[in-house]
Amino acid sequence: MISKEVFISKLSNWANAPQKFFKRDVLPVLADLRLAIILLLAIAIFSISGTVVEQGQSVEFYQSNYPEHPALFGFLTWKVLLIAGLDHVYRTWWFLSILVLFGSSLTACTFTRQLPALKIARRWKFYEEPKQFQKLALSAELETGSLTSLEQLLQQKSYRIFREGDKVYARKGIIGKIGPIIVHASMLLILAGAIWGTMTGFMGQEMVPSGQEFRVQNITDAGPWAGPQIPKDWSMRVNRFWIDYSPSGAIDQFYSDLSVLDKTGQEVDRQTIHVNLPLKYRGVTFYQADWAIAAVRVRLNKSPVFQLPMAQLDTQGKGRIWGAWIPTKPDLSAGVSLLAKDLQGTMLVYGTDGKLLTTVRAGTAVEVNGVMLTIDEVVGSTGLQIKADPGIPIVYTGFGLLMLSVMMSYLSHSQIWALEKDGKLYVGGRTNRAQVTFEREVVEILDKLAESKLDEDKSTITETSLANQN
């Protein structure tokens, strides 16, 4: 029959077993620097793969660019990409798991190494015996000098001084011990921001003709919690899209005049964007990313203006060309094909037999099939890349703290002890970095201490001489 005390003891041991296992077996592994380095390298490698491999594209895109025969590097095919999740690396469970594990490693290292090191640095004690100074890498035994003079010299060097009788302890640079802790905290912030942005952010693309309103609907990549970030109570309008061309005919820059509309259709914001100058509204950013030809507005003889869509033709990668078929008879029994490669250049007019009939530019007219064809306007479409990443402010804050903490970490933590005993002054110190600079500082303090003693002796001799003369 087991006693009550033994039963309670065993029950307590069972309850504490998981905690003991974590502290004894799991925590040392998490805090191991080698594990942190391996995880950091893994994050870097997979981040590079997410930069090299296009993210968030369609299956057809990967089938076209990563075929099975021949496979890239002998193994990298579109099937491998999709199965491994390399088409959306930053949202895969394994990449997020690596981030969480790396954050756990940093946290474990902070609590098992950095915080105890700071606690030890904040603790101090006086040296009470001369033999204690022999353990220091830098120490001196002086026949002259006083603790009062030493305190003044240490204050000039920005040391914080503690004194008890004939013993002195001084330190400075304790912030250098705090720096590594803030480094870890800032890295944890960066990881948290990256994970939060991955889970709540989204990316989208829209190709919108000039003059049309649109809502963000074509989402190409989104986190599982991205719903609240996608605009629902406001929309956008492309007031105008245009392209500036260089004298040689090359595209210099393309612009979109955008308006933000509330749910009643009222304009609440307006901005002209171009490459490297996006529009930002309620955490959603609209980037100028692409362009296309949407339609052409034409007239036949004296008819009203009518608009025909233009479709992009397959050129096998040899440039971009858009085309439209324009009927020249009311019963659609005859017509011409119109081809264009930009918004300002010459447009080509082809007959049904595939022969080039003539050329025409926007704002001009030409006779084809017995009718006068007038090109009023070529309507362009703006290609917008839309992105929301709520984790960016957290990441930026983490990077700011990281830069600050790295500078803090370079500050030396210096300590000096002094003891006045048996007519002698013992001085010693140590530092965790910048050893040469610290040695020069201590030597300078000792030299000034000797000079101050010499000045005191001269003053005493002078006062004694004057007293004797009197």
Side-chain angles (χ1 to χ4, degrees):
M1 187 73 180
I2 189 172
S3 66
K4 180 179 179 181
E5 292 77 9
V6 173
F7 176 76
I8 293 176
S9 176
K10 289 186 176 183
L11 186 62
S12 177
N13 291 334
W14 291 337
N16 294 329
Q19 184 178 359
K20 291 180 180 179
F21 172 75
F22 178 79
K23 289 183 177 180
R24 185 183 66 250
D25 299 321
V26 178
L27 196 58
V29 174
L30 284 177
D32 194 329
L33 181 60
R34 292 170 296 182
L35 175 64
I37 293 175
I38 292 173
L39 293 173
L40 191 58
L41 287 175
I43 292 171
I45 292 171
F46 289 123
S47 296
I48 292 172
S49 71
T51 303
V52 174
V53 178
E54 299 85 347
Q55 301 290 289
Q57 301 296 326
S58 64
V59 175
E60 292 76 15
F61 174 87
Y62 294 109
Q63 289 175 337
S64 174
N65 290 274
Y66 299 91
E68 294 185 75
H69 304 288
L72 187 63
F73 304 124
F75 73 95
L76 192 57
T77 67
W78 66 274
K79 289 184 178 179
V80 173
L81 286 177
L82 297 182
I83 292 174
L86 295 179
D87 60 323
H88 56 283
V89 171
Y90 309 112
R91 288 196 170 92
T92 57
W93 65 267
W94 47 264
F95 186 78
L96 293 175
S97 299
I98 293 174
L99 293 183
V100 172
L101 187 57
F102 181 60
S104 302
S105 179
L106 288 178
T107 304
C109 183
T110 300
F111 281 95
T112 59
R113 296 184 182 181
Q114 301 299 340
L115 288 177
L118 175 62
K119 187 176 181 180
I120 292 173
R122 287 175 57 84
R123 286 202 304 256
W124 50 271
K125 63 178 181 178
F126 296 107
Y127 282 4
E128 299 180 352
E129 296 295 334
K131 62 181 181 181
Q132 293 178 281
F133 288 83
Q134 298 175 3
K135 300 178 182 179
L136 298 174
L138 182 62
S139 62
E141 180 182 325
L142 305 177
E143 299 290 341
T144 60
S146 65
L147 289 180
T148 302
S149 301
L150 178 62
E151 282 185 282
Q152 295 174 355
L153 294 172
L154 291 173
Q155 286 177 349
Q156 294 174 8
K157 297 294 183 179
S158 302
Y159 278 86
R160 185 179 180 185
I161 302 168
F162 305 87
R163 181 170 181 177
E164 184 180 285
D166 55 1
K167 300 179 290 291
V168 166
Y169 169 77
R171 73 181 182 205
K172 70 174 179 179
I174 192 70
I175 195 172
K177 291 290 185 178
I178 302 175
I181 298 175
I182 301 181
V183 168
H184 285 193
S186 60
M187 294 180 70
L188 288 172
L189 267 180
I190 294 172
L191 290 175
I195 294 174
W196 182 247
T198 298
M199 301 301 288
T200 60
F202 75 89
M203 290 185 64
Q205 294 178 349
E206 297 289 348
M207 187 68 73
V208 187
S210 181
Q212 288 193 10
E213 297 183 11
F214 72 96
R215 289 183 178 273
V216 180
Q217 295 178 335
N218 185 25
I219 305 299
T220 58
D221 195 13
W225 305 332
Q229 300 296 326
I230 300 175
K232 295 181 178 62
D233 58 348
W234 54 278
S235 59
M236 302 288 294
R237 181 176 64 229
V238 180
N239 301 307
R240 182 185 170 217
F241 171 75
W242 72 98
I243 299 177
D244 283 350
Y245 294 88
S246 65
S248 64
I251 294 177
D252 181 51
Q253 184 66 274
F254 39 99
Y255 303 85
S256 296
D257 179 8
L258 303 179
S259 291
V260 181
L261 310 177
D262 61 17
K263 56 185 178 182
T264 64
Q266 298 298 314
E267 183 179 84
V268 294
D269 194 8
R270 184 170 183 172
Q271 182 178 332
T272 298
I273 69 170
H274 56 78
V275 177
N276 297 327
L277 182 64
L279 180 149
K280 298 181 180 180
Y281 186 76
R282 290 189 181 180
V284 182
T285 305
F286 295 81
Y287 297 92
Q288 183 69 69
D290 199 2
W291 67 279
I293 298 178
V296 59
R297 293 173 179 166
V298 300
R299 285 180 289 134
L300 295 175
N301 293 330
K302 295 183 180 180
S303 71
V305 176
F306 59 94
Q307 180 171 304
L308 295 173
M310 297 194 75
Q312 187 171 353
L313 306 181
D314 185 6
T315 62
Q316 302 296 322
K318 298 179 180 179
R320 305 172 73 184
I321 297 178
W322 289 263
W325 188 76
I326 302 176
T328 55
K329 289 186 177 181
D331 59 359
L332 307 181
S333 61
V336 294
S337 297
L338 194 66
L339 301 182
K341 66 176 182 178
D342 55 38
L343 298 180
Q344 70 160 8
T346 300
M347 306 179 72
L348 306 178
V349 182
Y350 285 85
T352 54
D353 56 0
K355 294 182 179 180
L356 178 64
L357 300 179
T358 185
T359 60
V360 65
R361 297 176 65 91
T364 63
V366 65
E367 184 177 351
V368 293
N369 294 345
V371 297
M372 189 63 65
L373 172 64
T374 303
I375 307 297
D376 272 25
E377 182 185 1
V378 180
V379 181
S381 290
T382 179
L384 301 174
Q385 186 178 66
I386 305 154
K387 183 178 180 181
D389 189 346
I392 286 180
I394 303 174
V395 172
Y396 283 179
T397 302
F399 272 114
L401 283 176
L402 183 61
M403 291 186 287
L404 177 64
S405 58
V406 167
M407 291 187 290
M408 291 170 56
S409 299
Y410 276 102
L411 297 177
S412 302
H413 178 233
S414 302
Q415 300 169 283
I416 291 179
W417 289 266
L419 172 65
E420 197 171 30
K421 189 172 184 180
D422 300 331
K424 295 181 179 181
L425 181 63
Y426 300 90
V427 180
R430 66 185 176 199
T431 187
N432 62 339
R433 57 172 55 91
Q435 187 70 35
V436 175
T437 302
F438 178 68
E439 290 178 1
R440 290 174 180 172
E441 184 177 70
V442 173
V443 170
E444 181 184 351
I445 290 173
L446 295 177
D447 289 342
K448 289 184 178 180
L449 193 61
E451 291 175 4
S452 65
K453 180 61 178 177
L454 182 61
D455 292 340
E456 290 178 4
D457 293 342
K458 289 180 179 179
S459 177
T460 302
I461 293 173
T462 302
E463 291 177 359
T464 303
S465 300
L466 291 175
N468 292 335
Q469 290 176 6
N470 294 332

